[in-house]
Amino acid sequence: MRLDLTQDVASLTAAIVDIESVSGNEKALADAVEEALRALPHLSVERDGDTVIARTSQGRGERVVIAGHLDTVPINHNLPSRVEGDRLYGCGTGDMKAGVAVQLKLATIPETTRDVTYFFYECEEIEEERNGLRRIGLTRPELLRADFAVLMEPSGGIVEGGCQGTIRVEVKVSGERAHSARSWMGTNAIHQAAAVLDVLRAYEPERPVVDGLEYHEGLNAVFVRGGVAGNVIPDECVVTINYRFAPDKSLADAERYLRKLFDGYEVTVVDGAPGARPGLTHPVAAAFTEATGGAVRAKFGWTDVARFSELGIPAVNYGPGEPSLSHTRDEYVEIPRIFASEERMRAWLTT
Amino acid sequence: MRLDLTQDVASLTAAIVDIESVSGNEKALADAVEEALRALPHLSVERDGDTVIARTSQGRGERVVIAGHLDTVPINHNLPSRVEGDRLYGCGTGDMKAGVAVQLKLATIPETTRDVTYFFYECEEIEEERNGLRRIGLTRPELLRADFAVLMEPSGGIVEGGCQGTIRVEVKVSGERAHSARSWMGTNAIHQAAAVLDVLRAYEPERPVVDGLEYHEGLNAVFVRGGVAGNVIPDECVVTINYRFAPDKSLADAERYLRKLFDGYEVTVVDGAPGARPGLTHPVAAAFTEATGGAVRAKFGWTDVARFSELGIPAVNYGPGEPSLSHTRDEYVEIPRIFASEERMRAWLTT
């Protein structure tokens, strides 16, 4: 599969969407991105797993990172992509292949006013141990070094500051096995798990204001599993819960909150990542915000801006996708927004 | 692995328990049973899948089937077997390898007063499509033909009449996917499934009296599954429910009851089997009951007596295991009961 970088950014987005790249299966897309970038003489290109990094080396006083992930959540009867009016529909259109297409178009600019590191990475949508940006940050942090970073996560074409943290825990409910024909001899762990679901149903989300931006938390079961055999009263039911918390709380705060909420159950942390405060007061961030229109709002989803934040690099989310459509079956991106995003960023990199 | 049929029935039980035979994995045990039976010249032995059938052909006026299944539910840290005082502990001890051991000891009797078909079959504990007795009943029903059948299912050494029916349904709860960072855009199917669990928790079991024996029904979730990805609000949660119903209801009655109870949800029948009325008024059944002590009670679990019942063959459950311990981690069988069971059945077959 080849990517033609001379086509317009909307057609390029469709071409990228049609290379299926559910987390763990990014190879074909990473190959295509790598091949397209290696054809550009002003870039030095590296490949690490299914992560591709391309850098300009013009000796400018400032370096910026423009980053995007190649993977998507599982497809849901929403491939191949299709155009309806001004919208491009399909899995990963907004989250975040439209952003990847903008990155690739920008990468073709032979000369920029700032040095740029274009970063395309794998496994953003799953367990963070497999995240390509995280891996490179641990093994080769020099590749992330920059004065400012833009993450092309869907933000509706508006600069989104900070991000919420995320933590996943497994809550285990125990029972006692018995033959289902004499169920009164056992204790049904799946029935008992209703009490855990009741806690989730009763949860009222907080909406903290941090550095002037309002966040919106969430607490949800994302998996449930239980059962031994079709005729056995199950002795275990595990509910996996994802808590999204505003950046006024640390990861440890979030864990404490969950342990208290599910006191009496066995609670195991599966993974987690702290949020990032908006950080828009930083001059470089403020300059970018102005160049792209001035509008700014809170980012609800956790994004890898938190990784840059931890390295002391100011970072924002700015992508053409609409975040509220991410991971939905009817995900789409507004085509004019892809063009607008490319145009504004091109102006920012060339003036 | 060889089975020595000259050892006493308790040692033989332990040897059989120690050949792990979780449903689908009965081959090693079936091989051992087949090999041991083929060494007995008064039997003609057939193998069909992992089912072994051995028949005497003495030209007696009456033929009885003595049947038992070779498989067990999944092991649960309860193998190998161990003896504590008068008890033999281990997965499948009571349900129903002690019964299989009794069958094998009886099979060594060179001359019996009734012709006997010894039936050892696979996959009783799982989906009924794989049940060895069911298969032979469909493909070679002549092998089941008899005047009376004894199923060695655990019955505490007391004749248990009839059996309850069983039906498994999947109840599907639907929601709408969304990114878990913006959970309010979706509908969490796992949270919604709490309403299904609430119905199960509120259920009050009926205890119908049928032909003088009291049954005890049950309604339980045996599996639950749901979840798409760790950061996606799940759009589907499926609860698999097992309803055990007294033999005054037909399979169709049971299905109707569940569809009404879960009205508004998508309900799919996975499998089911009708119960069997006690049938102890039949003279052959009554004779066996008397020979083995006269005590009789209702069978709660579904057993393959229902298959004989459907073929018009009176059948009872009579095995040394304690039914209330079936499928529990601490399953055991009382060793003296195994000896008693062998002794009584030996007397019945030789006088």
Side-chain angles (χ1 to χ4, degrees):
Chain A
M1 199 71 86
R2 295 205 136 184
L3 287 176
D4 171 10
L5 302 192
T6 65
Q7 65 190 314
D8 70 66
V9 71
S11 309
L12 182 57
T13 301
I16 294 170
V17 170
D18 291 339
I19 304 178
E20 182 261 289
S21 60
V22 174
S23 309
N25 195 31
E26 299 92 339
K27 186 176 181 304
L29 181 54
D31 287 350
V33 166
E34 180 186 3
E35 187 189 348
L37 294 173
R38 286 207 188 273
L40 300 169
H42 62 284
L43 296 176
S44 60
V45 178
E46 297 197 51
R47 172 80 174 249
D48 183 308
D50 285 328
T51 291
V52 181
I53 305 131
R55 296 160 56 90
T56 67
S57 303
Q58 307 160 93
R60 306 294 187 209
E62 213 174 63
R63 174 173 291 278
V64 296
V65 169
I66 303 178
H69 61 82
L70 297 175
D71 62 321
T72 71
V73 293
I75 57 176
N76 187 12
H77 308 287
N78 51 5
L79 275 191
S81 64
R82 68 178 203 282
V83 174
E84 277 183 28
D86 267 354
R87 295 173 174 178
L88 176 69
Y89 282 85
C91 183
T93 42
D95 187 10
M96 55 176 285
K97 291 183 168 181
V100 169
V102 171
Q103 285 181 271
L104 287 170
K105 290 298 286 182
L106 297 176
T108 64
I109 307 173
E111 202 171 316
T112 52
T113 51
R114 299 162 170 91
D115 269 314
V116 188
T117 303
Y118 299 99
F119 210 105
F120 304 86
Y121 60 102
E122 81 257 44
C123 291
E124 192 270 347
E125 299 288 6
I126 51 170
E127 320 85 85
E128 71 149 346
E129 290 71 40
R130 297 174 64 185
N131 183 299
L133 184 64
R134 175 178 181 270
R135 183 180 68 244
I136 305 293
L138 292 172
T139 57
R140 304 187 60 197
E142 72 279 7
L143 289 177
L144 294 188
R145 219 165 278 150
D147 301 287
F148 180 57
V150 180
L151 206 58
M152 304 296 294
E153 286 283 355
S155 69
I158 290 169
V159 175
E160 289 191 329
C163 74
Q164 298 201 126
T166 178
I167 182 170
R168 260 182 289 268
V169 295
E170 287 186 351
V171 176
K172 186 154 105 183
V173 183
S174 295
E176 203 186 331
R177 286 192 203 183
H179 193 297
S180 66
R182 286 169 298 279
S183 44
W184 53 93
M185 302 291 294
T187 307
N188 193 317
I190 295 175
H191 296 197
Q192 305 289 108
V196 171
L197 301 183
D198 287 345
V199 170
L200 297 175
R201 288 202 288 183
Y203 167 80
E204 291 284 349
E206 284 187 42
R207 296 179 177 229
V209 174
V210 185
D211 297 353
L213 301 183
E214 190 189 64
Y215 290 87
H216 190 157
E217 304 191 331
L219 183 70
N220 276 276
V222 288
F223 287 108
V224 63
R225 65 172 195 271
V228 177
N231 55 1
V232 177
I233 300 304
D235 59 351
E236 188 177 298
C237 182
V238 177
V239 184
T240 306
I241 292 168
N242 185 208
Y243 176 38
R244 300 289 179 141
F245 53 95
D248 59 340
K249 296 176 187 66
S250 69
L251 190 53
D253 291 337
E255 181 178 341
R256 233 180 339 263
Y257 171 76
L258 293 177
R259 289 196 182 279
K260 195 172 160 197
L261 200 58
F262 296 104
D263 190 28
Y265 295 98
E266 192 181 323
V267 174
T268 309
V269 175
V270 179
D271 60 8
R277 297 182 73 98
L280 291 171
T281 48
H282 194 289
V284 193
F288 177 79
T289 302
E290 203 182 309
T292 51
V296 61
R297 64 181 176 196
K299 182 72 180 173
F300 293 142
W302 188 90
T303 80
D304 282 324
V305 296
R307 300 191 198 282
F308 291 103
S309 198
E310 280 185 284
L311 294 171
I313 302 167
V316 297
N317 302 286
Y318 176 72
E322 170 54 42
S324 64
L325 297 170
S326 292
H327 304 194
T328 64
R329 180 171 170 164
D330 293 329
E331 181 179 1
Y332 64 83
V333 62
E334 302 272 4
I335 292 168
R337 279 207 186 143
I338 319 179
F339 285 103
S341 176
E342 182 196 355
E343 191 183 333
R344 289 178 171 192
M345 289 191 74
R346 183 182 289 271
W348 174 60
L349 287 181
T350 53
T351 55
Chain B
M1 198 71 88
R2 296 205 134 184
L3 287 176
D4 171 10
L5 301 191
T6 65
Q7 64 190 314
D8 70 66
V9 72
S11 309
L12 181 58
T13 302
I16 294 171
V17 171
D18 291 340
I19 303 177
E20 183 261 287
S21 60
V22 174
S23 308
N25 194 31
E26 298 93 338
K27 185 176 181 303
L29 181 54
D31 287 350
V33 166
E34 181 186 4
E35 187 188 347
L37 294 174
R38 286 206 189 273
L40 300 169
H42 61 282
L43 297 175
S44 58
V45 178
E46 296 197 53
R47 171 80 173 250
D48 183 307
D50 285 329
T51 291
V52 181
I53 304 131
R55 297 160 56 91
T56 66
S57 302
Q58 306 161 95
R60 305 296 186 205
E62 209 174 66
R63 173 172 291 278
V64 296
V65 169
I66 303 177
H69 61 82
L70 297 175
D71 62 320
T72 71
V73 293
I75 57 177
N76 187 10
H77 309 287
N78 51 5
L79 277 191
S81 63
R82 67 178 202 283
V83 173
E84 276 183 29
D86 266 354
R87 295 174 173 177
L88 176 70
Y89 282 85
C91 183
T93 42
D95 187 9
M96 52 173 286
K97 291 183 169 181
V100 170
V102 170
Q103 284 182 272
L104 287 171
K105 289 298 287 184
L106 297 176
T108 64
I109 307 173
E111 201 171 317
T112 51
T113 50
R114 299 164 169 89
D115 269 312
V116 188
T117 303
Y118 300 99
F119 211 103
F120 304 86
Y121 59 103
E122 81 259 41
C123 291
E124 191 272 345
E125 299 287 7
I126 51 171
E127 319 86 84
E128 71 149 347
E129 290 71 39
R130 298 173 64 185
N131 183 300
L133 184 64
R134 174 177 182 272
R135 184 180 68 246
I136 305 293
L138 292 173
T139 58
R140 304 185 60 196
E142 71 279 6
L143 289 178
L144 294 187
R145 219 165 278 149
D147 301 287
F148 180 57
V150 180
L151 207 56
M152 304 297 295
E153 286 284 355
S155 69
I158 290 168
V159 175
E160 289 191 329
C163 73
Q164 298 200 127
T166 178
I167 182 170
R168 260 181 290 269
V169 296
E170 287 186 351
V171 176
K172 186 153 103 183
V173 183
S174 296
E176 203 186 330
R177 286 192 203 184
H179 194 298
S180 66
R182 287 169 299 279
S183 43
W184 54 94
M185 302 291 295
T187 306
N188 193 317
I190 296 175
H191 294 197
Q192 305 290 108
V196 171
L197 300 184
D198 287 345
V199 170
L200 297 175
R201 288 201 291 185
Y203 167 80
E204 291 284 350
E206 284 187 44
R207 297 181 177 226
V209 174
V210 184
D211 296 352
L213 300 183
E214 190 189 64
Y215 290 86
H216 189 157
E217 303 191 332
L219 184 69
N220 275 275
V222 288
F223 287 108
V224 63
R225 65 171 194 270
V228 177
N231 55 1
V232 177
I233 300 303
D235 59 350
E236 187 177 298
C237 182
V238 177
V239 184
T240 306
I241 292 168
N242 185 209
Y243 176 39
R244 300 288 180 141
F245 53 94
D248 59 340
K249 296 176 187 65
S250 70
L251 189 54
D253 292 337
E255 180 178 342
R256 232 181 339 264
Y257 172 76
L258 293 177
R259 290 198 182 278
K260 194 172 162 198
L261 200 58
F262 297 105
D263 191 27
Y265 295 98
E266 193 181 323
V267 174
T268 309
V269 175
V270 179
D271 60 8
R277 297 183 73 99
L280 292 170
T281 47
H282 195 289
V284 192
F288 177 79
T289 302
E290 203 182 310
T292 51
V296 62
R297 64 182 177 197
K299 183 72 181 173
F300 293 142
W302 187 90
T303 79
D304 282 324
V305 296
R307 300 192 197 283
F308 290 104
S309 198
E310 281 184 283
L311 294 171
I313 302 167
V316 297
N317 302 285
Y318 176 71
E322 170 53 43
S324 63
L325 297 169
S326 292
H327 305 195
T328 65
R329 181 171 170 163
D330 293 329
E331 180 179 2
Y332 64 83
V333 61
E334 302 273 4
I335 292 169
R337 278 205 186 145
I338 319 179
F339 284 104
S341 176
E342 182 197 355
E343 192 182 334
R344 289 178 172 192
M345 290 190 73
R346 184 182 288 270
W348 175 61
L349 287 181
T350 53
T351 54

